[in-house]
Amino acid sequence: MKLKIIYSLFILAALLLLANVLVKQNKKKPVHIYRAEKLQTVSFDKRFVKVLSDWGIKSEWIKKLKIRNTKSVSGYIYQVELPNDITTDFILVDLRKSFSKKGEKVLVEDLIKKRKTLARIYSSDKLMVEAFFKRNSKIKRDKKEVTFCVDEREFDSANLKKDIETVTPLTFLFRPDKSLLKFINQIKKHKHSFAIVLDDKLADGDFDLFSSDDKFVLKMAIEKLVSTFGKGTVYIYDNKSNFYKSVVFNFIRDKFKELYGINLLSMRQIKDLTAKSVDDIASIVKIYLTGSGPNIFLVKDEQLEALEPLFSALWKKGTRFTTLSSK
């Protein structure tokens, strides 16, 4: 009998111990759920703000307000002001790309009377981010202009045909050669431009008149060059060349101005990045863009592909791409 009582008490103690463990586990579970939910909210906030940052939206244009009646898990609602050169549609396209994982969705409502757009971002039907977007004509993004020149002095028609398809406006740098003429219409059609480089090879091929020291012959050479490639073309001299150091350079420079109103551009005004590695080229350009002054870069064909993601990112931030002919 005593053994039965002892055995029963042992069983009861074991059950109480098990019940205590289960109660503790149940108490801890909401804490784990809360922490997980909190981390998820922070992740959604970061991704949301990252999209805004990619479009050059400054932090002072973004307000995060604590709202009691919001259904958002975070308890906050965003109020975002947009400058006039960014439409809400641009932002929404990237929000939908950023929040495209399983269970995620972005719902949008235009509040026409309030001149606002309301965006709600969900995860498994939980409202994670709620944001109002409104245009403000008084705010403006920081803008930069940048020009990318492609070194085509060692002319390769296959590379040129490929590079012409680049969406970003480019300026192709050529040595004067009549074989280029058949590509000029294509270059202009794709919103690019070209420039002619005057260096030690100027006297080769079709423009051998430049080898003369006679001023009348040199004048004829200039007229032939400009009649071939146009008055609106940019002409660049290589300041490291013997051509630049020659006794006839000043005469040639002055005749371009006198005859056609053309100011020759020095290659020194272009940052030559052609020696930089493909892996580093995008980072180097970004460093240069943090400085002041004109940003004109010379790159080579194989660097262009590595730069294309940067082109897209810069455009979103408000950077505008120009060609040498538009300066």
Side-chain angles (χ1 to χ4, degrees):
M1 185 67 179
K2 289 181 179 179
L3 288 173
K4 287 184 176 180
I5 293 171
I6 293 170
Y7 181 72
S8 297
L9 291 172
F10 178 79
I11 295 295
L12 180 60
L15 290 172
L16 289 171
L17 182 63
L18 179 62
N20 187 47
V21 171
L22 291 173
V23 168
K24 287 183 178 179
Q25 286 181 342
N26 285 335
K27 285 183 178 179
K28 289 180 180 179
K29 190 173 182 180
V31 176
H32 288 308
I33 292 172
Y34 172 77
R35 286 177 180 170
E37 200 170 69
K38 187 71 174 176
L39 288 172
Q40 189 182 26
T41 301
V42 171
S43 171
F44 270 69
D45 280 358
K46 284 184 176 179
R47 287 157 64 191
F48 174 75
V49 173
K50 171 74 165 54
V51 170
L52 301 181
S53 176
D54 287 346
W55 281 96
I57 306 301
K58 297 179 181 180
S59 58
E60 56 263 37
W61 303 341
I62 306 168
K63 293 180 181 178
K64 188 179 180 182
L65 306 176
K66 185 73 176 176
I67 304 293
R68 287 184 180 180
N69 60 359
T70 180
K71 296 179 181 179
S72 171
V73 171
S74 69
Y76 288 88
I77 190 166
Y78 285 94
Q79 290 187 358
V80 183
E81 292 185 321
L82 301 178
N84 280 342
D85 63 336
I86 303 177
T87 68
T88 310
D89 290 339
F90 285 155
I91 305 293
L92 295 176
V93 166
D94 277 8
L95 284 176
R96 289 191 171 101
K97 287 179 182 177
S98 181
F99 296 96
S100 59
K101 297 178 183 177
K102 186 177 180 181
E104 296 178 352
K105 60 183 176 182
V106 179
L107 299 182
V108 179
E109 181 182 355
D110 286 323
L111 307 175
I112 298 173
K113 289 184 179 180
K114 295 183 178 181
R115 296 182 179 180
K116 292 182 179 179
T117 298
L118 173 62
R120 294 188 175 102
I121 302 172
Y122 292 86
S123 175
S124 300
D125 296 323
K126 291 181 181 178
L127 179 57
M128 304 303 295
V129 177
E130 189 172 17
F132 285 101
F133 293 92
K134 188 172 183 177
R135 307 289 285 281
N136 183 346
S137 61
K138 295 180 180 179
I139 61 175
K140 297 184 184 297
R141 293 187 296 170
D142 297 328
K143 289 189 177 181
K144 283 185 177 288
E145 286 191 353
V146 59
T147 300
F148 282 91
C149 303
V150 184
D151 193 350
E152 292 284 358
R153 283 175 288 185
E154 301 300 329
F155 181 61
D156 185 316
S157 60
N159 283 340
L160 180 60
K161 288 176 182 177
K162 173 172 63 69
D163 294 342
I164 283 175
E165 299 297 324
T166 303
V167 175
T168 301
L170 304 168
T171 298
F172 297 99
L173 266 56
F174 299 114
R175 289 192 174 100
D177 189 320
K178 286 184 178 179
S179 63
L180 302 172
L181 296 175
K182 61 184 178 182
F183 296 101
I184 288 176
N185 286 339
Q186 279 292 98
I187 290 171
K188 292 180 178 179
K189 180 181 177 182
H190 287 80
K191 310 302 181 184
H192 304 305
S193 75
F194 70 96
I196 297 298
V197 178
L198 311 178
D199 61 11
D200 293 337
K201 296 189 178 182
L202 180 60
D204 295 349
D206 299 318
F207 300 92
D208 57 348
L209 292 178
F210 278 100
S211 60
S212 175
D213 292 332
D214 186 282
K215 291 183 178 181
F216 177 77
V217 175
L218 289 173
K219 179 175 172 292
M220 295 291 293
I222 294 168
E223 291 175 350
K224 180 180 179 182
L225 185 67
V226 174
S227 67
T228 302
F229 296 105
K231 296 179 184 178
T233 300
V234 176
Y235 295 87
I236 304 172
Y237 63 90
D238 184 351
N239 49 283
K240 294 181 180 179
S241 66
N242 290 324
F243 165 74
Y244 170 67
K245 299 171 186 176
S246 69
V247 294
V248 298
F249 173 76
N250 287 344
F251 173 80
I252 292 173
R253 180 198 59 200
D254 294 344
K255 281 298 173 184
F256 266 97
K257 177 68 175 176
E258 178 189 327
L259 295 173
Y260 302 106
I262 296 173
N263 291 309
L264 299 184
L265 180 71
S266 170
M267 188 69 83
R268 189 183 284 118
Q269 294 177 251
I270 303 174
K271 296 182 180 75
D272 188 350
L273 304 182
T274 55
K276 308 300 181 183
S277 74
V278 171
D279 294 335
D280 296 335
I281 188 66
S283 298
I284 291 169
V285 169
K286 284 193 282 188
I287 291 171
Y288 274 118
L289 289 177
T290 60
S292 58
N295 292 298
I296 308 175
F297 303 110
L298 179 64
V299 297
K300 54 189 176 183
D301 171 79
E302 52 264 41
Q303 292 170 325
L304 272 183
E305 187 174 350
L307 284 168
E308 285 185 6
L310 178 62
F311 292 161
S312 177
L314 290 175
W315 184 83
K316 280 185 180 182
K317 288 275 190 183
T319 298
R320 291 299 170 253
F321 299 90
T322 61
T323 63
L324 285 184
S325 61
S326 65
K327 287 187 176 295

